[in-house]
Amino acid sequence: MSLRVAVLVSGEGTNLQAILDKVHGREGIEVVGVASSRAGARGLERARAAGVETAVFAAADHPDREARDLALADWLDERGAELVVLAGFMEILTGEFIRRFSGRIVNVHPSLLPAFPGVRSIERAVDHGVRVTGVTVHFVDEGVDTGPIILQRAVPLSYPARIEEIEDRIHAVEHELLPQAVRLIAQGRVRIDPVNHRRVLIEGEGGDGDG
Ligand code: GAR
């Protein structure tokens, strides 16, 4: 069992840190590169501190998004990345990139999808007054946060609430769920349901087979 993982970040990189701390160098999982869309991303420092190779692929440094994503994809292939993890990567990848790594890109999102896709998901859920929000880890397709769901966990809310406290609780769940998903994929236990391509089957999870 082995899995070469690349992580894409744009900012703080706490989810990257969770992957480095919990699965990197264990069970055959190796983080082989961290790429950022921003030169100043704190995630790059975290990668360097763990001895992981880094690179910056800022849109402004390339003629267009297609060229940027092509350079990024080539860099990932050069490192032999088998799984691409979007960990707070705040840019939309081109369809060409997504097709090239089809079924091999996962994203962590701070809501229970399909509720609150896109940006500012935590604030929008709280503004809406939802009583349950949460975290989703999903495969990336060509839509915005629309791909097949691998793992979800609920986070209950009550009001009044401090947004910072809610963010902390959601991030803590992300830091468990994302490494767990990477571990399950490395174990070869995750596949798309051949009958319903929206669904993900996780080996060993049970299920009575009537769905
Ligand atoms: C995380 O909360 C992640 O779910 C979110 O950005 C944050 C990145 O934090 N991603 C999205 O909203 C993607 N649509 P981090 O840089 O500390 O890991």
Side-chain angles (χ1 to χ4, degrees):
M1 185 180 77
S2 80
L3 188 69
R4 294 173 68 81
V5 178
V7 183
L8 307 190
V9 300
S10 296
E12 194 51 38
T14 63
N15 281 286
L16 164 66
Q17 191 69 56
I19 288 172
L20 291 171
D21 292 345
K22 295 184 178 175
V23 294
H24 175 53
R26 299 183 199 194
E27 302 178 43
I29 299 165
E30 204 65 42
V31 178
V32 296
V34 170
S36 171
S37 57
R38 286 183 42 236
R42 167 99 171 90
L44 291 169
E45 288 171 37
R46 295 177 189 271
R48 283 185 214 113
V52 173
E53 210 178 328
T54 62
V56 176
F57 293 89
D61 297 340
H62 298 268
D64 52 32
R65 229 156 48 87
E66 280 71 18
R68 194 280 301 269
D69 285 9
L70 185 62
L72 172 59
D74 286 345
W75 188 81
L76 295 170
D77 270 343
E78 280 160 23
R79 263 134 215 93
E82 296 163 294
L83 180 71
V84 179
V85 177
L86 310 189
F89 187 71
M90 301 310 273
E91 295 189 15
I92 305 290
L93 292 160
T94 54
E96 199 176 331
F97 180 98
I98 288 164
R99 285 190 294 278
R100 182 157 155 186
F101 291 92
S102 174
R104 299 191 288 138
I105 314 172
V106 300
N107 180 45
V108 60
H109 184 79
S111 75
L112 288 180
L113 292 171
F116 307 108
V119 296
R120 296 185 54 253
S121 305
I122 300 176
E123 295 94 317
R124 281 158 51 224
V126 172
D127 284 348
H128 195 93
V130 300
R131 293 275 159 183
V132 181
T133 185
V135 172
T136 303
V137 179
H138 64 95
F139 283 116
V140 173
D141 66 10
E142 291 184 41
V144 176
D145 300 323
T146 52
I149 292 167
I150 304 167
L151 295 174
Q152 284 188 308
R153 191 178 299 167
V155 173
L157 302 184
S158 57
Y159 302 98
R162 281 183 50 245
I163 186 83
E164 295 81 6
E165 190 254 340
I166 292 170
E167 284 171 349
D168 286 349
R169 284 169 60 211
I170 289 175
H171 290 148
V173 172
E174 291 183 332
H175 300 160
E176 287 184 30
L177 231 52
L178 185 58
Q180 187 188 342
V182 172
R183 207 179 287 123
L184 286 168
I185 291 168
Q187 291 168 350
R189 291 170 58 193
V190 178
R191 66 189 172 100
I192 300 287
D193 184 339
V195 177
N196 176 346
H197 293 194
R198 277 228 52 86
R199 290 185 187 159
V200 169
L201 304 177
I202 300 179
E203 189 191 307
E205 217 184 30
D208 57 14
D210 69 352

